[in-house]
Amino acid sequence: MQTLNALALTLIVGITLTVSPFAQPVQAQPWRPVRGSILFGISGMAFLEQQQGSTSFLIVHDNKGVGEGRLAMITLTDEQAPEYFPLNWSNQPLPIDLEALTAVPGQSEPTFMALTSSGTVYHFRLSANHQDVSFLNIFNLPNLPEGTNLEGFALQQINDKLLAVWAHRGNTEEPGVLYWGFLDLKNDEITPQGSARLTVPFPVSNVRHISDVKVDSAGIVYITSASDNGDDGPFQSAVYVAGVLSLQDNRIVFQQNQTLVPIYRLNYHKVEAIELVPGTAGGIILGTDDENMGSSVWGFDRMF
């Protein structure tokens, strides 16, 4: 197991060195507007499929009112503007404040889980034609402390175990909190295994230490952080490697990165969604909830 931990640390160091010891500005990269207005902010994102020349994602909106969208699909193709396709929420009660979205790994048919800020999880399947949503279950995350405000939720399969990670966003006066546990997919029950408090060095003011989270197949935990100065901004964001999750004696162990280095610093945007896209045309993609300025996405050029 020491070998596994050493490998994980090597991967973290490798990621940091790859992007140099300095955070990389991305203002020169092409942000792509998705939709204008406060009703179309992207608060969670999950990879859907990749075809020749295009990549599609599911996204969720953190809307709260009747008649306001909750779920959509966007398709990114070459240099074109993103295509946006709203999806109906079926016959289930409308969720309030969806803040995260994750694919369920290891399934023969694509299924997903969307999380509200209060801890309600919606487990659903998307039809083959990407037109209809069918719900498999609705459940709540366990043992949430009073005052919890969740903004991240991710699933990953490691050594035949399904790991769940969820995150309280924190604020300028309090750290974010990362939680993890095992998910029993048959019953949609999570067994908590631990938690860690986390404070990022950037942004500095009006900060949400964790605005989203994803975990890759090696157990490396990626987070985004953001500042929120109201509906008109200004906004700042960053991407970090928070640490690595591994299995030891049938328990989940989190090896926290004690010196957080921003992989990217992002001015003018409030990033609330991150996704990891596999393959030669893949990479990291980010989605924003820029309030009155709507939403945008950014990713490596080869992905688009």
Side-chain angles (χ1 to χ4, degrees):
M1 196 56 64
Q2 290 179 347
T3 301
L4 178 60
N5 289 338
L7 174 61
L9 286 175
T10 301
L11 289 170
I12 292 175
V13 172
I15 291 170
T16 303
L17 292 179
T18 298
V19 297
S20 92
F22 302 100
Q24 299 295 302
V26 297
Q27 288 87 341
Q29 297 290 343
W31 283 95
R32 298 194 179 195
V34 175
R35 279 292 186 274
S37 102
I38 200 169
L39 297 179
F40 293 94
I42 299 173
S43 55
M45 177 183 298
F47 173 68
L48 182 58
E49 65 180 9
Q50 201 164 54
Q51 298 180 349
Q52 186 67 33
S54 70
T55 309
S56 296
F57 301 87
L58 286 182
I59 61 173
V60 289
H61 304 305
D62 61 357
N63 293 323
K64 304 172 180 66
V66 176
E68 298 171 353
R70 271 32 177 208
L71 182 66
M73 182 176 72
I74 59 172
T75 298
L76 311 176
T77 305
D78 298 327
E79 300 299 325
Q80 301 176 24
E83 297 180 83
Y84 177 91
F85 306 93
L87 299 175
N88 293 325
W89 191 254
S90 185
N91 296 320
Q92 293 293 333
L94 285 174
I96 303 299
D97 201 24
L98 286 172
E99 290 290 353
L101 180 66
T102 181
V104 180
Q107 303 303 294
S108 57
E109 296 182 26
T111 62
F112 303 86
M113 291 189 182
L115 173 73
T116 69
S117 59
S118 62
T120 301
V121 179
Y122 294 82
H123 186 186
F124 65 92
R125 177 182 290 116
L126 191 64
S127 65
N129 62 5
H130 301 162
Q131 299 295 313
D132 300 307
V133 173
S134 57
F135 287 85
L136 304 176
N137 198 9
I138 300 174
F139 64 99
N140 294 314
L141 294 180
N143 305 334
L144 293 177
E146 185 176 355
T148 295
N149 196 329
L150 299 168
E151 286 213 353
F153 183 58
L155 301 175
Q156 186 56 260
Q157 188 168 311
I158 298 177
N159 294 353
D160 297 323
K161 297 287 187 179
L162 190 55
L163 277 59
V165 178
W166 57 104
H168 166 63
R169 72 188 192 187
N171 55 48
T172 306
E173 288 74 34
E174 65 168 329
V177 183
L178 198 68
Y179 299 89
W180 56 89
F182 290 115
L183 172 60
D184 176 2
L185 200 56
K186 292 181 179 179
N187 302 303
D188 278 342
E189 292 181 352
I190 292 178
T191 304
Q193 290 280 295
S195 65
R197 296 158 70 89
L198 189 151
T199 301
V200 299
F202 177 88
V204 176
S205 62
N206 296 318
V207 63
R208 300 177 180 181
H209 297 286
I210 308 175
S211 62
D212 200 15
V213 60
K214 283 295 190 293
V215 183
D216 71 13
S217 59
I220 296 174
V221 180
Y222 297 79
I223 64 167
T224 56
S225 305
S227 65
D228 186 350
N229 290 296
D231 290 347
D232 295 312
F235 305 118
Q236 290 180 312
S237 301
V239 180
Y240 294 90
V241 171
V244 62
L245 293 164
S246 61
L247 295 178
Q248 297 183 18
D249 299 325
N250 207 34
R251 290 193 59 81
I252 305 171
V253 175
F254 180 57
Q255 195 160 358
Q256 187 167 349
N257 190 349
Q258 297 298 330
T259 305
L260 290 172
V261 176
I263 297 174
Y264 294 109
R265 294 173 183 258
L266 307 109
N267 289 320
Y268 318 121
H269 292 281
K270 180 159 66 85
V271 174
E272 289 203 4
I274 182 173
E275 180 60 302
L276 312 175
V277 180
T280 57
I284 292 175
I285 185 167
L286 306 175
T288 74
D289 181 357
D290 293 330
E291 304 298 342
N292 285 335
M293 291 172 279
S295 59
S296 298
V297 294
W298 174 86
F300 291 125
D301 288 340
R302 65 180 180 272
M303 186 187 301
F304 296 157

